[in-house]
Amino acid sequence: MKHLLNILDLSTEEIGELIATAEDIEAHPEKYEDACRHKILATLFFEPSTRTRLSFESAMLSLGGNVISMAGANTSSAAKGESVADTAEVVSGYADIIAMRHPKEGAPYVAAKHSSVPVINAGDGGHYHPTQTLADLLTVHREKGAFENLTVGFCGDLKYGRTVHSLIAALSRYRGVKFVLISPEELRLPEFVKRDYIEEKGIPYTESASLEEQIGKLDALYMTRVQKERFESEEEYARLKDTYILTEEKMRTAGKNTIVLHPLPRVNEISVKVDEDPRACYFKQTRNGKLMRMALILKLLKDKETAEKGGVYQVGGGGERERNTFVSTSVKCANPHCIFPCEQELPPLFYRDKRGTLCCAYCDAAAENGKETTV
Ligand code: CP
C-alpha cells in the first residue's frame, strides 16, 4: 500500500496485522524504540486537532523518529494561497511520510497524487477519517474479541461525522454485522455511505430518531458530536446540537456489555458521569489511537522500502476507485465541500460506482445527484 486515504485501502488481513503489531508494541515497546530512526513524519493540519496530530507525533517520537509540523492553515503558505498539490510536492522533499488533515473533502487524495512519500488522511472535511477507525477497531477488538456478528449503533451527526463513515466502511466487511443509525432527519447518513457500504453489501440496518428505543439492542454504541464547523447556519446547529445526550439514566437501559465509543472531542453528548461506567471506552480509544498509528507508520515505511528494493508496491490510495477513474469535462461534482473547485487545474476525475452512478473521485459525492450535468 502506498497511501492511506480510505480505510478500505487496507484489507481486513492488513487490519488484523496492524492490530497484532499494536498489541506487540504495547507489550514490548523497547523492540520499537529505534524502528524509525532518521525518519521524519510531517503533520500538515489545516484544521484543529488534539488527538490525531499529537498521537501521530507521539507515535513517531516513540518509534525513534522525528517530526516536523504545521498546526494550522494560518501558520503555513496555505494562508498565501499555496495549493494542496504544491504543498505536498514540497513537503514530500522534507519528510518520509505525511499525515494531513484538511477541511476540504478529497484534499489528501490530491496530496497523494503530488507526493513522493506516503500520505495518510488524518481527516478530510465530512468525508473520511481512517486512522480514527484504526483506533476504533483496536478498541472494539480488545473489548469484544472480534468484529463479526456485532450490532453497532451510530448516534448523532451521521451526515458530517467522518469517523462514522470510515467505521461503517470498515465494519461492513465483517460477517453478521448489523447497523442501527440514530439521528435526526437533517443529519442522516450520506447517500454514498449508505449506498456503497450498507445497501450494496446487503447489510441489515435500521434508521431511527430515538436513542432510547435502540440503546438496549446494541453491542456497541458510537456517539458523535454534532459537527458545528460543517454547518452553513448557526441556528440550525443550535437547534440540533443537543438532540442526543447520553446520561447515566440512559445507560441503565443499555445492555450490560454494551460498550460506548466516541471519537472525541465531546461537547455535551455524553454526560461526564458516564465516564465512570466500565462500559465507557472513549478514553481507551485515544490511547489505542497512538498504538495503531505507530503500527501504521511502520507498515507504510516498510512497504515503501520494499518497493524501492524492487518489490511489489500496490497502488492503494483510493483502492478500487483509483483503477476506474477517468477524466470528464461534461459533468461536475455537486458537493460544495469538495477540494476540486478550490485547486487550480486539477483534472475533473470521476468514476462509476457498481450501480453506474457517476461519482466524484475526490469526494465520492454523486455528480449532481447522479445526473450528468453539463458544465
Ligand atoms: N478524534 C479526533 O479526530 O480528534 P481530534 O480532532 O482532536 O484530532
Side-chain angles (χ1 to χ4, degrees), residues 45 48-53 101 122 129 132 162-163 263-265 293:
F45 277 58
S49 167
T50 296
R51 274 147 295 276
T52 312
R53 185 169 69 84
R101 171 170 291 187
H129 192 348
Q132 177 62 47
R162 58 194 176 196
T163 64
L264 303 183
R293 289 180 177 110

Side-chain angles (χ1 to χ4, degrees), residues 34 61 64 73 94 124 156 164 184 247 259 269 272 292 297 349 368:
D34 246 357
L61 294 172
Y94 302 152
D124 61 329
V164 170
T247 57
I259 59 169
E269 57 281 354
V272 292
M292 286 301 265
I297 290 168
L349 292 176
E368 291 287 3

Side-chain angles (χ1 to χ4, degrees), residues 34-44 56-70 88 90-100 115-120 293 296-298 300-302 304-305:
D34 246 357
C36 287
R37 201 154 166 249
H38 302 310
K39 298 290 182 193
I40 298 174
L41 165 74
T43 51
L44 305 183
F56 260 118
E57 296 184 359
S58 177
M60 191 51 152
L61 294 172
S62 296
L63 292 167
N66 297 298
V67 174
I68 54 175
S69 187
M70 197 202 82
V90 171
V91 175
S92 67
Y94 302 152
D96 300 286
I97 185 163
I98 295 171
M100 171 183 275
S115 170
S116 54
V117 302
V119 172
I120 301 169
R293 289 180 177 110
L296 179 68
I297 290 168
L298 285 170
L300 292 178
L301 290 177
K302 188 163 166 242
K304 183 166 183 279
E305 209 176 289

Side-chain angles (χ1 to χ4, degrees), residues 95-330:
D96 300 286
I97 185 163
I98 295 171
M100 171 183 275
R101 171 170 291 187
H102 201 284
K104 290 290 175 185
E105 299 174 14
Y109 180 56
V110 173
K113 286 191 162 295
H114 291 84
S115 170
S116 54
V117 302
V119 172
I120 301 169
N121 178 1
D124 61 329
H127 191 213
Y128 289 136
H129 192 348
T131 66
Q132 177 62 47
T133 302
L134 294 178
D136 303 340
L137 291 175
L138 179 57
T139 310
V140 172
H141 197 265
R142 285 181 157 186
E143 300 299 319
K144 294 286 175 192
F147 302 119
E148 286 78 12
N149 302 315
L150 294 178
T151 299
V152 182
F154 293 88
C155 178
D157 185 349
L158 311 191
K159 179 178 180 183
Y160 297 118
R162 58 194 176 196
T163 64
V164 170
H165 309 161
S166 287
L167 185 55
I168 286 177
L171 290 174
S172 72
R173 295 187 292 185
Y174 296 94
R175 189 175 28 83
V177 164
K178 297 190 189 86
F179 296 127
V180 179
L181 309 173
I182 306 159
S183 75
E185 182 69 27
E186 297 86 339
L187 298 178
R188 284 166 82 159
L189 200 67
E191 251 338 283
F192 83 90
V193 182
K194 211 192 285 183
R195 177 191 74 209
D196 291 355
Y197 306 127
I198 302 182
E199 292 175 347
E200 191 71 47
K201 293 171 181 244
I203 293 175
Y205 73 99
T206 308
E207 288 190 294
S208 170
S210 170
L211 175 57
E212 288 84 346
E213 279 175 19
Q214 303 298 331
I215 194 168
K217 305 173 189 169
L218 309 175
D219 297 306
L221 169 62
Y222 197 93
M223 293 296 294
T224 61
R225 174 178 68 92
V226 176
Q227 306 269 302
K228 182 180 183 187
E229 61 276 30
R230 315 269 175 239
F231 278 73
E232 307 282 341
S233 138
E234 277 274 339
E235 293 78 47
E236 176 87 334
Y237 168 71
R239 190 169 63 76
L240 295 170
K241 72 184 170 66
D242 292 328
T243 309
Y244 304 104
I245 301 176
L246 186 64
T247 57
E248 284 175 298
E249 192 188 356
K250 288 194 189 107
M251 284 302 288
R252 280 196 274 279
T253 64
K256 72 176 175 23
N257 296 317
T258 303
I259 59 169
V260 178
L261 305 169
H262 190 308
L264 303 183
R266 73 173 148 190
V267 180
N268 196 32
E269 57 281 354
I270 301 181
S271 160
V272 292
K273 297 208 176 96
V274 176
D275 298 358
E276 300 305 316
D277 191 308
R279 296 168 292 180
C281 294
Y282 28 93
F283 290 113
K284 289 182 186 171
Q285 273 168 279
T286 65
R287 292 185 279 277
N288 291 339
K290 176 182 167 182
L291 292 171
M292 286 301 265
R293 289 180 177 110
M294 287 174 81
L296 179 68
I297 290 168
L298 285 170
K299 175 182 170 47
L300 292 178
L301 290 177
K302 188 163 166 242
D303 286 359
K304 183 166 183 279
E305 209 176 289
T306 307
E308 283 164 358
K309 287 182 185 152
V312 176
Y313 200 14
Q314 287 172 25
V315 171
E320 207 172 327
R321 173 182 62 181
E322 182 71 26
R323 293 191 287 279
N324 298 324
T325 297
F326 57 87
V327 171
S328 172
T329 51
S330 64

